């Protein structure tokens, strides 16, 4: 069993910053890509950013230059630094990880429970 636990969400004014964390725990043999997705009210879930185990990153266009994804492989943790936040960034942010366990003998997608980010004046 693998669990992803997010933290760091909250409310912030436009232009502010937040840092999200997501720690993976359980019977983990290896983690491939980790990432962040979000779902705004009334919208589909969308990609925010991903990062491979080697550190290669990918961002949605609207987040480039404002958000930074990073990870600590020793801690099985991924971070999302969000700067210059806008009201349209308001959403539930979900952590994702491709995890290899000896139980599955393959990589399986796991998701966190989500953390609310609200940007409002």
């Amino acid at each position: 069993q693998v669990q992803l636990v997010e933290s760091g969400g909250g409310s912030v004014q436009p232009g502010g910053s937040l840092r999200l964390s997501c720690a993976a725990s359980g019977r983990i043999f290896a983690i491939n890509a980790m990432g962040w997705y979000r779902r705004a009210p009334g919208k589909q879930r969308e990609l925010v950013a991903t990062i491979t185990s080697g550190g290669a990153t990918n961002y949605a266009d609207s987040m480039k230059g404002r958000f930074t994804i990073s990870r600590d492989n020793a801690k099985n943790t991924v971070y999302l630094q969000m700067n210059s936040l806008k009201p349209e960034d308001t959403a539930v942010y979900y952590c994702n990880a491709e995890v290899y366990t000896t139980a599955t003998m393959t990589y399986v997608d796991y998701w966190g429970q989500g953390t609310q980010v609200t940007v409002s004046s």
Side-chain angles (χ1 to χ4, degrees):
Q1 193 77 348
V2 174
Q3 298 83 36
L4 300 183
V5 179
E6 300 119 332
S7 60
S11 297
V12 65
Q13 293 187 339
S17 298
L18 283 174
R19 188 188 193 217
L20 306 182
S21 299
C22 171
S25 62
R27 296 182 176 271
I28 297 170
F29 184 81
I31 300 179
N32 191 14
M34 302 184 81
W36 292 94
Y37 294 74
R38 70 184 186 185
R39 178 178 284 145
K43 295 187 176 181
Q44 301 254 7
R45 185 174 62 195
E46 63 175 346
L47 168 73
V48 175
T50 60
I51 184 168
T52 68
S53 57
T57 59
N58 178 55
Y59 295 91
D61 287 344
S62 62
M63 286 66 156
K64 288 180 181 177
R66 299 190 300 124
F67 292 6
T68 302
I69 189 170
S70 61
R71 65 190 281 176
D72 184 332
N73 290 331
K75 296 181 179 180
N76 291 334
T77 299
V78 62
Y79 306 96
L80 185 69
Q81 178 67 43
M82 303 185 292
N83 298 328
S84 303
L85 282 162
K86 306 174 182 179
E88 51 264 43
D89 294 318
T90 295
V92 178
Y93 285 70
Y94 297 90
C95 172
N96 170 266
E98 298 174 356
V99 181
Y100 190 102
T101 70
T102 54
T104 62
M105 298 298 286
T106 188
Y107 283 97
V108 175
D109 267 345
Y110 289 91
W111 294 89
Q113 80 286 354
T115 185
Q116 177 70 45
V117 171
T118 301
V119 185
S120 174
S121 55

